[in-house]
């Protein structure tokens, strides 16, 4: 068919897909192109007339030329074929080729030619690079990624998958199947639904659970994809699973929060950042009589939170728009018009950027509690009055005896009537003061906060307690700073507190002693009353329980006195602090806000 072997070789030379070139070695550092095949010209877009007879330096740019000459010399030096990859930059495209360079020697060992056979690997390299990039992405992802064959045998796990299953990075996985790395119920789901659906539809999505070396079950959202051949036969599966433990925990917390919201005894209102109602719980509808539909889209201040104390209430609606929360007592009105007293707490809900998302308003009906507290106060007040009865009886008897004696003197010495009458009137005034103070304490009165001078309040209380202190050989010493600010208070309630503190101090002193009452400025916005006695003190283990209901250090005490005192001071926006050492007396500090 062919005339000669040369024709046969020429046909092969010009029909093979590889790029073939032949370089003549004219001098050790000079290489001249003497032949290129058709594939070379097609790939490079350069005709052989532009190449044959040209030195390598005339064909390639300087940098590529240096690389080629280096390889040519290496092949000549080693006297054997060498293989290398090179990047070929052409006017219209870029190629990556894998070249096998073979040196051709004569019988004297002189290299005459270099035969180059270059295979275009551009697409292969691009595929390899893409594979490397995808592998890097898959290895870097926090999701579980795996592939397994049609029998379920695991072919590949990414780093996150190994971590989730408790496998080492280089641990052999040839014995593992996709099923034995899932918990039992998830395994059944994959067998009966996940894998069959993926084979039938191409992909399946569902929630399963991983469990292998780590005994803890990891809930995941899993995707299984079937990869099929051209004949529609599954070659392998790939699967991606994302750990949804946090999501499941969040769902559980939301479920529990919903349960709490529905069953908590306090009323709860949820609003948006502007204060418009989004939802209310059943307890609030039971307390107020309003249904959720009555309130949606309204601001709480518009649905009959009627108030008796305008000054305290006015801060609540603005708290819904402010950054901070609010807490206070509000007199409200039910849907049927009935008034009731509530304890209201407004709290903001913020995101990670501290932006307010919602407000939670908790409303507690404290009507009955307030009634009970008033009964406790009345009980404590009456107890104090009863305990002072003996001293008051003595205090009343003294002026009555004096009055009776001076009236008898008037009969026998009428000429000294003015002098005697003045004494009688003075004793009657003292008697009237004692009885008036007793009646004020005993008589129930409406709570009215007014501006008062705390010095006058304390002087009144000390005068009332002097007789009881004298009977126990206790001296009450007062020290009031000058230029003190006034306080806004309910005078009778503060008297009740001070009487209770002084009474306890007197009772703690057994063989005579003293009580110091100091009134001074505490800081720029507060005044302090400090009661210090020289009594027996309170042991440390008992001191921490002082103020608990029905706990008392006295044999016949009910343990309600100090609890009531603390409640009264708290209602005055103040605080009460007790310090004591066993055998060294007790100090009680009462701090109240001043009217600046």
């Amino acid at each position: 068919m062919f005339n000669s072997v040369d024709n046969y070789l020429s046909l092969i030379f010009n029909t093979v897909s590889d790029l073939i070139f032949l370089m003549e070695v004219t001098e050790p550092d000079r290489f001249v192109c003497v032949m290129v095949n058709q594939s070379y010209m097609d790939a490079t877009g350069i005709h052989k007339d532009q190449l044959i007879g040209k030195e390598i330096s005339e064909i390639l740019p300087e940098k590529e030329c240096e690389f080629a000459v280096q390889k040519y010399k290496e092949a000549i030096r080693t006297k054997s074929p060498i293989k290398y990859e090179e990047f070929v930059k052409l006017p219209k495209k870029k190629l990556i080729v894998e070249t096998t360079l073979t040196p051709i020697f004569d019988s004297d060992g002189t290299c005459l030619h270099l035969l180059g056979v270059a295979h275009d690997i551009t697409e292969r390299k691009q595929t390899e690079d893409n594979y490397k990039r995808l592998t890097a992405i898959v290895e870097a992802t926090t999701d579980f990624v795996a592939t397994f064959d049609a029998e379920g045998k695991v072919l590949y796990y990414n780093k996150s998958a190994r971590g989730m299953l408790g496998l080492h990075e280089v641990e052999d996985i040839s014995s593992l199947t996709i099923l034995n790395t899932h918990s039992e119920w998830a395994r059944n789901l994959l067998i009966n639904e996940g894998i069959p659906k993926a084979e039938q539809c191409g992909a399946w999505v569902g929630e399963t659970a991983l469990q292998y070396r780590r005994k803890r079950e990891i809930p995941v959202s899993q995707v299984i994809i079937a990869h099929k051949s051209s004949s529609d036969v599954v070659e392998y599966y790939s699967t991606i699973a994302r750990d949804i433990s946090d999501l499941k925990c969040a769902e559980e917390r939301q479920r529990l929060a919903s349960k709490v919201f529905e069953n908590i005894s306090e009323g709860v209102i949820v609003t948006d950042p502007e204060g418009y109602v989004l939802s209310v719980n059943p307890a609030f509808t039971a307390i107020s009589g309003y249904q959720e539909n009555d309130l949606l889209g309204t601001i709480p201040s518009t649905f009959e939170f009627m108030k008796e104390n305008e000054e305290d209430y006015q801060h609540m609606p603005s708290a819904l728009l402010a950054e901070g929360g609010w807490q206070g007592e509000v007199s409200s009105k039910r849907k049927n018009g009935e008034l009731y007293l509530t304890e209201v707490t407004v709290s903001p809900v913020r995101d990670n950027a501290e932006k307010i998302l919602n407000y939670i308003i908790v409303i507690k009906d404290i009507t009955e509690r307030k009634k009970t507290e008033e009964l406790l106060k009345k009980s404590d007040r009456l107890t104090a009055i009863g305990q002072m009865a003996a001293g008051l009886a003595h205090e009343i008897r003294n002026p009555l005896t004096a009055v009776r004696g001076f009236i008898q003197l008037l009969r026998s010495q009428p000429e000294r009537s003015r002098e005697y009458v003045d004494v009688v009137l003075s004793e009657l005034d003292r008697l009237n003061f004692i009885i008036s103070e007793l009646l004020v304490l005993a008589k129930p009165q409406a709570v009215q906060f007014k501006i008062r001078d705390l010095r006058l309040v304390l002087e009144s209380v000390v005068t009332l307690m002097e007789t009881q202190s004298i009977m126990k050989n206790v001296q009450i010493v007062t020290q009031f700073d000058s230029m003190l600010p006034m306080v806004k208070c309910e005078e009778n309630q503060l008297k009740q507190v001070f009487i209770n503190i002084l009474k306890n101090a007197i009772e703690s002193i057994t063989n005579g002693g003293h009580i110091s009452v100091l009134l001074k400025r505490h800081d720029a916005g507060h005044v302090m009353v400090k009661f210090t006695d020289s009594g027996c003190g309170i042991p440390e283990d008992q001191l921490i329980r002082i103020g608990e209901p029905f706990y008392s250090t006295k044999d016949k005490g009910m343990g309600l006195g100090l609890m009531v005192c603390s409640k009264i001071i708290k209602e005055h926006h103040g605080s009460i602090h007790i310090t004591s050492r066993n055998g060294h007396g007790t100090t009680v500090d009462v701090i109240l806000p001043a009217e600046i």
Side-chain angles (χ1 to χ4, degrees):
M1 183 176 178
F2 301 102
N3 294 325
S4 67
V5 174
D6 288 343
N7 289 337
Y8 180 71
L9 291 175
S10 178
L11 180 62
I12 296 174
F13 182 74
N14 286 302
T15 56
V16 294
S17 60
D18 287 339
L19 288 64
I20 302 176
F21 60 92
L22 185 66
M23 305 297 292
E24 182 181 2
V25 183
T26 59
E27 292 181 16
D29 291 332
R30 294 185 65 191
F31 305 95
V32 178
C33 178
V34 294
M35 187 183 298
V36 293
N37 72 343
Q38 187 63 41
S39 294
Y40 189 100
M41 290 186 286
D42 292 340
T44 62
I46 304 173
H47 194 269
K48 63 181 180 179
D49 293 341
Q50 297 174 276
L51 300 171
I52 294 174
K54 299 286 182 70
E55 290 191 21
I56 186 70
S57 60
E58 298 176 278
I59 298 172
L60 298 177
E62 182 179 357
K63 199 168 186 180
E64 285 83 346
C65 179
E66 289 179 0
F67 177 78
V69 170
Q70 180 185 349
K71 293 298 179 183
Y72 293 173
K73 289 181 176 181
E74 182 183 343
I76 296 170
R77 187 181 69 254
T78 58
K79 296 183 179 182
S80 62
I82 63 170
K83 186 180 288 188
Y84 59 91
E85 291 180 6
E86 62 180 320
F87 180 80
V88 180
K89 187 176 182 181
L90 301 170
K92 294 184 179 180
K93 60 181 177 179
K94 299 174 183 178
L95 294 178
I96 303 174
V97 295
E98 183 180 70
T99 301
T100 301
L101 189 66
T102 304
I104 301 172
F105 296 89
D106 62 11
S107 58
D108 296 329
T110 302
C111 183
L112 302 177
H113 295 90
L114 290 165
L115 176 65
V117 180
H119 181 65
D120 185 353
I121 60 170
T122 306
E123 289 187 6
R124 191 189 83 190
K125 294 298 288 187
Q126 288 175 345
T127 301
E128 289 177 356
D129 289 343
N130 289 336
Y131 177 78
K132 288 178 181 177
R133 281 193 290 269
L134 288 173
T135 301
I137 292 171
V138 170
E139 285 297 314
T141 184
T142 57
D143 291 336
F144 174 105
V145 180
T147 58
F148 57 97
D149 63 21
E151 284 71 44
K153 185 178 179 180
V154 175
L155 305 174
Y156 166 77
Y157 278 139
N158 73 337
K159 184 177 179 180
S160 292
R162 289 174 177 270
M164 285 176 155
L165 298 174
L167 298 169
H168 301 303
E169 287 190 19
V170 295
E171 188 170 343
D172 181 29
I173 59 172
S174 59
S175 63
L176 295 179
T177 69
I178 197 67
L179 295 178
N180 62 20
T181 55
H182 285 69
S183 61
E184 185 177 355
W185 69 267
R187 192 179 309 139
N188 293 331
L189 181 62
L190 292 181
I191 293 172
N192 298 318
E193 181 181 331
I195 296 175
K197 282 280 187 181
E199 183 178 359
Q200 179 184 354
C201 305
W204 173 85
V205 179
E207 290 188 5
T208 65
L210 301 172
Q211 188 177 37
Y212 182 57
R213 191 164 291 160
R214 298 191 187 283
K215 301 302 181 183
R216 181 179 66 88
E217 187 176 283
I218 303 174
V220 293
S221 175
Q222 188 164 5
V223 179
I224 298 177
I225 302 170
H227 301 269
K228 298 182 180 181
S229 66
S230 57
S231 58
D232 203 35
V233 176
V234 174
E235 294 181 333
Y236 68 97
Y237 296 90
S238 61
T239 181
I240 302 173
R242 175 162 294 178
D243 187 345
I244 55 173
S245 301
D246 291 343
L247 177 62
K248 287 294 183 183
C249 289
E251 289 176 352
E252 180 64 16
R253 287 196 297 269
Q254 185 175 1
R255 187 185 67 80
L256 291 174
S258 179
K259 284 283 186 183
V260 172
F261 183 75
E262 294 295 323
N263 295 287
I264 192 172
S265 59
E266 285 84 4
V268 180
I269 304 170
V270 181
T271 79
D272 64 15
E274 284 70 46
Y276 290 94
V277 174
L278 300 177
S279 63
V280 300
N281 72 336
F284 179 78
T285 62
I287 292 170
S288 67
Y290 288 96
Q291 298 301 314
E292 188 172 56
N293 290 338
D294 298 332
L295 312 176
L296 294 179
T298 64
I299 292 181
S301 59
T302 66
F303 55 75
E304 296 297 327
F305 269 118
M306 304 302 291
K307 52 277 180 198
E308 291 180 351
N309 192 332
E310 186 74 24
E311 183 180 346
D312 286 343
Y313 172 75
Q314 66 185 1
H315 300 293
M316 179 187 168
S318 62
L320 293 174
L321 303 175
E323 291 189 359
W326 182 86
Q327 184 174 21
E329 294 180 359
V330 177
S331 181
S332 307
K333 185 182 286 187
R334 305 186 204 276
K335 190 174 182 179
N336 61 10
E338 178 187 352
L339 288 174
Y340 66 109
L341 192 61
T342 60
E343 186 177 79
V344 179
T345 302
V346 182
S347 303
V349 178
R350 304 173 189 272
D351 62 13
N352 292 334
E354 292 297 308
K355 179 182 177 182
I356 293 177
L357 303 177
N358 302 97
Y359 283 96
I360 306 297
I361 306 174
V362 180
I363 297 163
K364 186 174 183 179
D365 186 347
I366 57 172
T367 308
E368 292 301 319
R369 192 186 81 188
K370 281 294 182 181
K371 290 179 181 178
T372 302
E373 288 175 359
E374 288 304 316
L375 288 174
L376 283 174
K377 289 177 185 177
K378 183 177 179 181
S379 171
D380 184 68
R381 187 166 55 244
L382 293 176
T383 299
I385 292 170
Q387 291 175 341
M388 290 192 304
L392 290 173
H394 180 75
E395 187 71 13
I396 292 170
R397 187 182 298 114
N398 286 342
L400 284 177
T401 302
V403 169
R404 186 174 185 279
F406 278 104
I407 290 175
Q408 290 174 340
L409 287 173
L410 280 173
R411 288 181 178 176
S412 60
Q413 301 177 19
E415 69 279 2
R416 299 181 64 182
S417 60
R418 174 176 290 276
E419 180 184 350
Y420 294 157
V421 167
D422 288 342
V423 175
V424 169
L425 290 174
S426 174
E427 291 298 320
L428 288 174
D429 287 342
R430 177 171 174 76
L431 184 62
N432 182 61
F433 171 79
I434 293 170
I435 294 172
S436 296
E437 286 295 304
L438 188 62
L439 289 173
V440 165
L441 284 172
K443 181 181 178 182
Q445 296 182 10
V447 175
Q448 293 183 338
F449 282 76
K450 296 181 179 179
I451 306 298
R452 289 288 184 264
D453 187 340
L454 209 53
R455 287 173 296 188
L456 298 179
V457 176
L458 283 167
E459 285 173 353
S460 173
V461 170
V462 170
T463 299
L464 198 60
M465 298 299 294
E466 269 184 341
T467 301
Q468 190 171 346
S469 68
I470 292 170
M471 291 173 63
K472 292 202 66 177
N473 193 25
V474 175
Q475 182 183 9
I476 300 177
V477 180
T478 60
Q479 181 182 343
F480 303 155
D481 287 359
S482 59
M483 302 297 291
L484 288 172
M486 309 286 269
V487 296
K488 187 177 183 180
C489 65
E490 208 298 320
E491 184 176 355
N492 290 329
Q493 288 189 352
L494 282 191
K495 285 182 178 179
Q496 182 179 346
V497 171
F498 297 152
I499 286 173
N500 195 300
I501 294 171
L502 283 173
K503 177 172 65 66
N504 287 339
I506 292 169
E507 291 174 355
S508 72
I509 300 172
T510 54
N511 297 315
H514 65 273
I515 300 170
S516 168
V517 181
L518 172 63
L519 174 61
K520 66 176 185 176
R521 184 186 289 273
H522 180 64
D523 56 36
H526 296 80
V527 294
M528 180 173 71
V529 186
K530 181 184 288 286
F531 298 88
T532 304
D533 67 59
S534 60
C536 60
I538 305 171
E540 185 176 348
D541 60 329
Q542 296 180 13
L543 183 62
I544 60 175
R545 298 192 60 190
I546 293 296
E548 292 181 10
F550 307 110
Y551 179 79
S552 176
T553 59
K554 295 177 278 189
D555 293 338
K556 296 182 180 180
M558 295 180 64
L560 296 177
L562 190 57
M563 185 193 74
V564 172
C565 290
S566 297
K567 179 65 178 174
I568 290 172
I569 297 302
K570 185 177 179 181
E571 289 173 352
H572 282 71
H573 306 293
S575 59
I576 186 167
H577 308 279
I578 302 174
T579 56
S580 185
R581 288 178 59 197
N582 194 23
H584 292 80
T586 300
T587 297
V588 180
D589 293 334
V590 178
I591 300 171
L592 295 166
E595 287 292 310
I596 306 300

